[in-house]
Amino acid sequence: MKDLGKRIKELRIERGFTQPELAKMMGVTNAVISFWENEVNEPKASYVKKLAQCFNVTADYLLGISE
């Protein structure tokens, strides 16, 4: 099972977003995206929801609950 940070990075790259582009869409700094992808910390539930919408996947997918 992939970790949340790895899924965020994988989806970001698949969708062709840079970290700065994703940060702008999410309303956070580039550092926050880097911290999420490197699993320094995890996004709050509200950001998981926004990430799921941005990537057009379910929150369950992001969290590794479903494939």
Side-chain angles (χ1 to χ4, degrees):
M1 178 168 52
K2 293 180 185 174
D3 298 314
L4 176 59
K6 290 178 185 172
R7 285 191 188 235
I8 293 170
K9 184 174 184 175
E10 179 180 87
L11 287 166
R12 176 181 61 76
I13 292 168
E14 282 178 7
R15 301 304 192 269
F17 300 139
T18 64
Q19 282 187 344
E21 289 170 336
L22 182 58
K24 187 173 183 177
M25 287 186 272
M26 298 298 298
V28 298
T29 65
N30 299 356
V32 170
I33 301 298
S34 179
F35 287 163
W36 291 346
E37 289 184 356
N38 291 302
E39 300 178 355
V40 173
N41 57 34
E42 294 181 341
K44 295 189 307 184
S46 60
Y47 287 119
V48 171
K49 180 181 176 183
K50 198 169 181 178
L51 284 163
Q53 292 169 338
C54 180
F55 293 137
N56 197 30
V57 297
T58 64
D60 283 354
Y61 176 79
L62 277 175
L63 297 170
I65 297 169
S66 68
E67 289 299 317

